[in-house]
Amino acid sequence: MAKVKICGLANYNDSLDATNLGADFLGFHFIKESPKKVSEKMVIDIVSKLPPFVIPVGVFADADQKLIEKTIKKCGLKNVQFNGIEAPEFCAAAKAALGVKVFKFFKLENESDAEKLSLYAGNVDYFVLDVSYLDGETVKHNFELAAKAVNLNVPVFVSGRITPEEVKEALEKVAPYGVDADGGIERLPKRKDYDKMNNLIRYAHGLK
Ligand SMILES: O=C(O)c1ccccc1NCC(=O)[C@H](O)[C@H](O)COP(=O)(O)O
């Protein structure tokens, strides 16, 4: 059984579906250059209509702490995710000052990328580890890299265009705290596929 974070949400219906299907965390992107970016206005509207048990996460990259604080308050976000090159000290300071849990995203390509993670242990609450790579046009995963990070005692969300069918392998090889999914459960950009989302959550929660 692993937690599920559905990321890149960009409309109310998908957010409600994800919540009703049992997602534990919902990710909303505030990264300026990101194709996944949504407006504050939209997130305020979505979060205000969601039940309180699902945790909305604001995703940022190298943003100013004051701006993050303002966005958290306005939108009712409960956690934040940092996708940039935020230093361990920045993560720790944000965690303390903002009173929220911090996810730190890393793209892991090799052993030396994985070695940097130890600097963040104790400064963040969760790692989101994208272990995907392209083999021709096929997305594959180096789950072994993520498995090594589990020993750092920071709960790990495994990610990188994970599809429902890949969840079982990810759970077996990594034993992660959670699975973070976006691209692997889309039917169109910024639109989730209901059946894929359902299957992914059911696999992660051990119901399938
Ligand atoms: O979305 C971005 O703009 C972005 C920028 C820099 C690093 C990562 C980025 N996105 C990935 C995520 O934020 C997600 O949490 C997660 O990895 C799931 O996404 P996907 O790989 O599409 O399943």
Side-chain angles (χ1 to χ4, degrees):
M1 158 100 184
K3 301 274 184 194
V4 178
K5 176 164 165 283
I6 301 292
C7 214
L9 286 154
N11 62 80
Y12 174 64
N13 287 343
D14 286 348
S15 307
L16 186 64
D17 285 345
T19 304
N20 289 337
L21 290 171
D24 304 282
F25 301 86
L26 305 181
F28 301 96
H29 281 251
F30 295 95
I31 304 172
K32 246 191 244 155
E33 316 75 37
S34 176
K36 304 179 184 190
K37 187 180 185 309
V38 284
S39 68
E40 276 188 358
K41 190 171 172 291
M42 181 190 281
V43 179
I44 291 168
D45 182 55
I46 295 173
V47 171
S48 69
K49 293 181 192 156
L50 291 175
F53 55 81
V54 70
I55 300 180
V57 183
V59 183
F60 302 87
D62 302 311
D64 175 71
Q65 192 181 301
K66 283 269 170 270
L67 177 85
I68 298 169
E69 184 172 13
K70 230 171 92 187
T71 311
I72 290 174
K73 286 193 178 141
K74 268 176 138 172
C75 299
L77 302 168
K78 292 191 186 143
N79 289 180
V80 294
Q81 177 171 319
F82 295 145
N83 281 12
I85 52 164
E86 295 86 357
E89 299 73 26
F90 178 90
C91 298
K95 196 168 133 57
L98 308 175
V100 292
K101 290 200 172 176
V102 171
F103 291 73
K104 181 72 187 82
F105 172 94
F106 295 92
K107 172 85 182 154
L108 297 187
E109 279 163 357
N110 50 48
E111 299 278 337
S112 66
D113 286 342
E115 279 160 20
K116 292 178 208 148
L117 297 184
S118 62
L119 301 171
Y120 288 81
N123 294 308
V124 303
D125 296 285
Y126 308 103
F127 287 142
V128 177
L129 304 181
D130 180 336
V131 288
S132 64
Y133 63 95
L134 277 177
D135 182 3
E137 289 187 6
T138 310
V139 178
K140 293 195 174 167
H141 298 91
N142 187 344
F143 289 123
E144 289 70 19
L145 272 181
K148 291 197 176 133
V150 167
N151 301 328
L152 293 170
N153 288 328
V154 176
V156 164
F157 282 75
V158 68
S159 95
R161 299 189 71 85
I162 301 271
T163 63
E165 296 70 30
E166 288 163 327
V167 169
K168 208 168 164 244
E169 187 189 351
L171 297 197
E172 280 168 7
K173 291 192 172 164
V174 185
Y177 178 78
V179 176
D180 185 332
D182 178 8
I185 52 167
E186 280 182 334
R187 62 182 164 84
L188 289 169
K190 291 186 160 181
R191 293 290 176 272
K192 300 293 185 259
D193 180 297
Y194 183 89
D195 291 333
K196 287 183 185 172
M197 189 154 67
N198 187 23
N199 285 336
L200 181 126
I201 293 171
R202 288 173 64 79
Y203 279 125
H205 286 173
L207 301 170
K208 208 172 149 100

